[in-house]
Amino acid sequence: KARLAILLSGRGSNMVALVKAVHGGVLRELAEVAVVFSNKPDAPGLETAAALGCVTASLTSQGRKRQEFDAEVVDILTSYQPDYIVLAGYMRILSPTFIRAFAGRILNIHPADTHQHQGLHAYEWAFEKQLEETKITVHLVDEGLDTGPVLAQHPVDLQGADTLAEVERRGLAVEHFLYADTLARLIRGELPSPTPEPAAASAAVSQSSSE
Ligand code: GAR
């Protein structure tokens, strides 16, 4: 079974969907949760993960230099021998140290088409632009901000969604099945090897803090 390290900073609804998929959904027989880690020791998602029976770990990123903090996180995660690092609302830009430690094995879910929107507040962006449709993206993480090769995308119909809460509700419903489904296909070897995104090289220099 593939060992997952799930990283979160907040609510953890994607983590819950992944854990449920491991316990009795599409990831059953394919994956196990090695650890749920947070850079915020008081993240609600960490408590939820413990209640679901997951091993949890945390290290506060507050006031820490990115490289040094990430080097410690790499050590913590490595001790759980993960096959995949699964970012689930982990609101930190990863340093090259981190990305190189788990090269090609870090996944992220982004609540927009990463070719159109990167960074925070993707649902606000879709709502303010009054999009009739947005997309959820699962991608491999490279050294840019939301620039890595796309593994899967799924549309979200926003017609008639007239509040931000409704946009988020529809989007999260897609996030919650798409992440587990994509991981299952990746582990089964059903996804073609992703080709690097053309924008990756230039975007790598435009990193900025999301905190
Ligand atoms: C999700 O909507 C996720 O796609 C988004 O944060 C939310 C976390 O919710 N991630 C990003 O915006 C990354 N740029 P959750 O804690 O309930 O899973």
Side-chain angles (χ1 to χ4, degrees), residues 8 10-15 88-91 108-111 119-123 146 172 175-176:
L8 57 81
R11 173 180 57 189
S13 72
N14 275 288
M15 175 277 299
Y90 188 65
M91 298 308 191
N108 183 42
I109 189 159
H110 183 68
L120 298 174
H121 311 304
Y123 287 132
D146 297 327
L172 282 167
E175 291 191 46
H176 294 162

Side-chain angles (χ1 to χ4, degrees), residues 119-132:
L120 298 174
H121 311 304
Y123 287 132
E124 285 90 331
W125 167 81
F127 180 61
E128 276 158 23
K129 279 186 129 359
Q130 300 184 306
L131 300 184
E132 296 214 328

Side-chain angles (χ1 to χ4, degrees), residues 122-142:
Y123 287 132
E124 285 90 331
W125 167 81
F127 180 61
E128 276 158 23
K129 279 186 129 359
Q130 300 184 306
L131 300 184
E132 296 214 328
E133 183 185 286
T134 192
K135 279 186 180 138
I136 305 300
T137 306
V138 176
H139 65 97
L140 289 177
V141 175
D142 64 11

Side-chain angles (χ1 to χ4, degrees), residues 30 84 182-193:
L30 290 175
Y84 295 101
T182 306
L183 255 168
R185 288 163 58 210
L186 182 68
I187 294 164
R188 282 203 212 96
E190 290 171 6
L191 291 180
S193 291

Side-chain angles (χ1 to χ4, degrees), residues 150-161:
V150 171
L151 296 175
Q153 283 190 321
H154 197 281
V156 183
D157 181 3
L158 295 182
Q159 285 182 67

Side-chain angles (χ1 to χ4, degrees), residues 65-79:
K65 286 203 180 112
R66 192 171 303 282
Q67 291 281 12
E68 288 168 20
F69 174 76
D70 274 5
E72 281 181 47
V73 176
V74 167
D75 285 346
I76 292 170
L77 296 179
T78 301
S79 74

Side-chain angles (χ1 to χ4, degrees), residues 25-198:
V26 291
L27 288 169
R28 212 187 131 106
E29 315 293 331
L30 290 175
E32 58 194 330
V33 179
V35 65
V36 176
F37 173 84
S38 184
N39 65 312
K40 297 199 185 287
D42 58 355
L46 215 47
E47 214 171 298
T48 309
L52 287 168
C54 298
V55 173
T56 62
S58 67
L59 181 68
T60 186
S61 57
Q62 209 174 2
R64 297 292 311 274
K65 286 203 180 112
R66 192 171 303 282
Q67 291 281 12
E68 288 168 20
F69 174 76
D70 274 5
E72 281 181 47
V73 176
V74 167
D75 285 346
I76 292 170
L77 296 179
T78 301
S79 74
Y80 293 97
Q81 300 181 289
D83 295 300
Y84 295 101
I85 308 296
V86 184
L87 308 183
Y90 188 65
M91 298 308 191
R92 293 266 309 167
I93 305 275
L94 300 175
S95 63
T97 311
F98 188 109
I99 289 164
R100 284 168 204 163
F102 304 108
R105 299 188 288 135
I106 310 171
L107 282 77
N108 183 42
I109 189 159
H110 183 68
D113 180 344
T114 47
H115 299 112
Q116 292 183 3
H117 176 279
Q118 304 84 29
L120 298 174
H121 311 304
Y123 287 132
E124 285 90 331
W125 167 81
F127 180 61
E128 276 158 23
K129 279 186 129 359
Q130 300 184 306
L131 300 184
E132 296 214 328
E133 183 185 286
T134 192
K135 279 186 180 138
I136 305 300
T137 306
V138 176
H139 65 97
L140 289 177
V141 175
D142 64 11
E143 291 182 23
L145 174 62
D146 297 327
T147 53
V150 171
L151 296 175
Q153 283 190 321
H154 197 281
V156 183
D157 181 3
L158 295 182
Q159 285 182 67
D162 50 13
T163 62
L164 176 59
E166 177 62 11
V167 168
E168 284 184 347
R169 192 188 66 76
R170 293 189 194 182
L172 282 167
V174 171
E175 291 191 46
H176 294 162
F177 76 76
L178 187 67
Y179 215 177
D181 184 67
T182 306
L183 255 168
R185 288 163 58 210
L186 182 68
I187 294 164
R188 282 203 212 96
E190 290 171 6
L191 291 180
S193 291
T195 45
E197 300 284 306

